[in-house]
Amino acid sequence: MRFFKFVTGISLLALAFLSNAQSNPQWVQMVTNDQLSVRVVLLNDTQCPKVSVDNVPTAMHLRAAKVVDFPAVCELLVSRDTRSIKIKQQALPTLPSVVDRIAILGDTGCRINKINAQACNDAQAWPLRELSASIGAQTPDIILHVGDYFYRETPCPEGDKGCKGSPSGYNWDTWNADWFAPANSLFQSSVIALSRGNHEECGRAQNGWSRYLSPWAYPKAGQACAEMEKPYILKLKWVNYIMFDSSSGQDDRTSEPQLALYKKAIAQLKIDKDSTNIFLTHRPMWTYNKIKSTYYYGNLTQQIAFKNLLPKRTLFVSGHAHYLQVLDMQTDYDQVIIGNSGTELVKVGNTTQKNVDINKHMANFVYSRSGFGYGILTESSKTLKFYKQNGAHTGECIWLSDKQHPSLICQ
């Protein structure tokens, strides 16, 4: 009997260990050339698994080999019209024939740097896991992330219980803690499309970005880090989603080479002037907030480079600023900021300010909301609803995109 209890105890410990061991992260993301990319990080295997694509066994290829700080990742590109994707009998998300409900989140990592230490161990202070589960429960057709996944750049300060035990630095353990493990609910629920944030720019977490998340092929040996990846378009029925990399550069100044680069990148997309577009990029063209004595107005390069360059029916959706904000501009492109999905927040209050001067550009109103959360855009009704991390509804806006001068109505 004692031997049986001993063996049973060992078995339970083994089961507990196995249940806590992380399986290979696997997901489906929408990428360039209107394709889906199936990706698997090899934590527990040494070879890429086979994928059943519409019931046809298909081999994956090695996207990036294992190195000292990062495990290998496998990839398979398939058509966006694929209806069934399985790995070892586990079904992965695909796109529905009509994409209508779109979840949007941004700035999700837990901030630890030389100045701040967010309480990553506190689900209220860093709610990404709950927020991810809440988005999954909304059953969106696709999930869009506007950038900044990686924030644990320095070790947790000694004696700080809020982040005690947290990994740090540019390696897999930190990427896993900041994004892959807490975002597992997202991977299981929907296809995702990802923007690059300034935390993933060259000199920061670009290795993890290009290896695991970039929509482009992994760079060849010796190839320099791309300061700006090429933009591309996702066509989702009524709306073009222009995916634009604004990760590098500064917000309060610009240069002629930077302006020329942005203009050339947009020109190469050959966007139909009569199309309806959502411009998805990390840095917002417009924002309005005062921190201490400094006002923040957005990204100067975009403000100058994109003036009258894009179709009138273009709405900018971004992160970077750690709050929720909607700006209905009088003569410029309207702006939505969803940068409140986990990273330590910047206070803006719950306000609607009218006739706001944003560095000599007028906004009919600036709608700001505090607290963690995300958005759900329904394309057919042009309604953008905002939610807290627990799924509680906090407000909504309607984008009147069919008018000669598109505008927003928020409540």
Side-chain angles (χ1 to χ4, degrees):
M1 180 64 72
R2 288 181 180 179
F3 176 75
F4 174 77
K5 288 182 177 179
F6 174 77
V7 172
T8 302
I10 292 295
S11 300
L12 290 173
L13 285 173
L15 288 172
F17 174 79
L18 290 172
S19 65
N20 290 327
Q22 184 181 4
S23 58
N24 292 334
Q26 51 193 38
W27 67 97
V28 180
Q29 70 182 80
M30 200 166 184
V31 295
T32 61
N33 300 317
D34 222 21
Q35 293 179 300
L36 299 180
S37 173
V38 185
R39 300 189 183 181
V40 179
V41 179
L42 298 183
L43 298 184
N44 304 313
D45 298 288
T46 56
Q47 293 184 331
C48 294
K50 281 195 173 181
V51 182
S52 172
V53 180
D54 289 337
N55 298 317
V56 177
T58 310
M60 303 187 81
H61 75 269
L62 190 66
R63 175 179 169 85
K66 180 180 179 180
V67 293
V68 173
D69 291 326
F70 294 100
V73 58
C74 304
E75 180 176 30
L76 175 66
L77 296 175
V78 301
S79 166
R80 65 172 288 167
D81 297 324
T82 299
R83 289 290 165 257
S84 172
I85 301 173
K86 294 181 180 179
I87 297 178
K88 297 179 180 179
Q89 300 305 310
Q90 180 180 344
L92 274 67
T94 56
L95 286 178
S97 55
V98 176
V99 175
D100 191 41
R101 284 174 52 79
I102 298 157
I104 306 171
L105 73 163
D107 296 83
T108 51
C110 186
R111 182 189 290 278
I112 305 177
N113 57 28
K114 294 179 181 179
I115 301 173
N116 295 310
Q118 192 173 350
C120 308
N121 301 330
D122 184 340
Q124 294 300 310
W126 185 58
L128 180 55
R129 195 176 295 271
E130 180 185 17
L131 188 145
S132 297
S134 179
I135 290 176
Q138 296 267 12
T139 61
D141 299 326
I142 192 171
I143 298 168
L144 307 180
H145 194 302
V146 293
D148 275 6
Y149 315 80
F150 190 103
Y151 275 86
R152 307 183 197 212
E153 297 177 302
T154 62
C156 179
E158 187 175 351
D160 189 326
K161 295 181 180 179
C163 57
K164 183 179 180 181
S166 172
S168 63
Y170 303 119
N171 55 63
W172 166 255
D173 287 343
T174 312
W175 265 103
N176 188 42
D178 244 1
W179 173 242
F180 287 97
N184 186 54
S185 297
L186 301 180
F187 299 156
Q188 294 181 34
S189 67
S190 308
V191 172
I192 59 178
L194 307 171
S195 292
R196 183 184 183 188
N198 63 297
H199 279 251
E200 293 81 49
E201 68 183 356
C202 298
R204 300 183 85 176
Q206 84 279 359
N207 286 336
W209 165 260
S210 59
R211 171 176 286 264
Y212 301 119
L213 303 182
S214 172
W216 296 96
Y218 185 64
K220 297 179 181 179
Q223 189 174 343
C225 174
E227 293 286 347
M228 188 182 83
E229 294 182 338
K230 291 189 296 183
Y232 62 102
I233 293 177
L234 303 180
K235 179 67 176 177
L236 302 177
K237 191 159 183 175
W238 297 283
V239 179
N240 291 328
Y241 288 78
I242 303 168
M243 309 293 285
F244 190 88
D245 180 2
S246 62
S247 59
S248 64
Q250 299 296 318
D251 293 319
D252 57 356
R253 61 182 183 272
T254 189
S255 65
E256 288 303 322
Q258 189 83 6
L259 291 169
L261 180 65
Y262 274 37
K263 290 180 180 180
K264 181 180 179 181
I266 293 301
Q268 290 175 338
L269 291 176
K270 298 180 180 180
I271 303 167
D272 183 346
K273 64 181 179 62
D274 295 321
S275 61
T276 300
N277 305 278
I278 288 181
F279 196 100
L280 205 80
T281 191
H282 180 63
R283 295 177 185 268
M285 177 186 281
W286 305 108
T287 186
Y288 182 73
N289 192 32
K290 182 181 180 182
I291 301 176
K292 296 182 179 180
S293 60
T294 302
Y295 280 93
Y296 293 89
Y297 299 119
N299 184 262
L300 187 60
T301 302
Q302 294 182 53
Q303 292 169 14
I304 298 173
F306 297 152
K307 180 71 175 178
N308 299 322
L309 183 64
L310 296 159
K312 288 184 178 180
R313 293 196 298 272
T314 298
L315 174 67
F316 278 68
V317 177
S318 312
H320 193 51
H322 298 165
Y323 41 77
L324 169 66
Q325 193 168 78
V326 179
L327 301 96
D328 183 65
M329 306 299 294
Q330 288 186 2
T331 59
D332 298 281
Y333 304 109
D334 296 329
Q335 174 77 62
V336 174
I337 300 170
I338 302 178
N340 62 330
S341 302
T343 304
E344 187 176 31
L345 299 174
V346 173
K347 292 182 180 179
V348 290
N350 297 316
T351 64
T352 301
Q353 300 165 274
K354 296 183 178 180
N355 298 317
V356 181
D357 184 347
I358 303 177
N359 199 23
K360 300 181 180 179
H361 295 261
M362 294 301 298
N364 292 315
F365 66 82
V366 177
Y367 172 94
S368 305
R369 291 295 181 270
S370 292
F372 293 113
Y374 60 92
I376 298 286
L377 170 66
T378 304
E379 275 196 5
S380 56
S381 63
K382 299 296 190 294
T383 302
L384 182 57
K385 295 186 177 182
F386 306 116
Y387 298 89
K388 293 181 180 180
Q389 69 267 29
N390 62 3
H393 180 242
T394 60
E396 61 186 76
C397 298
I398 298 174
W399 183 37
L400 304 176
S401 61
D402 297 327
K403 296 172 60 178
Q404 183 67 19
H405 299 289
S407 62
L408 292 151
I409 299 174
C410 298
Q411 59 182 11

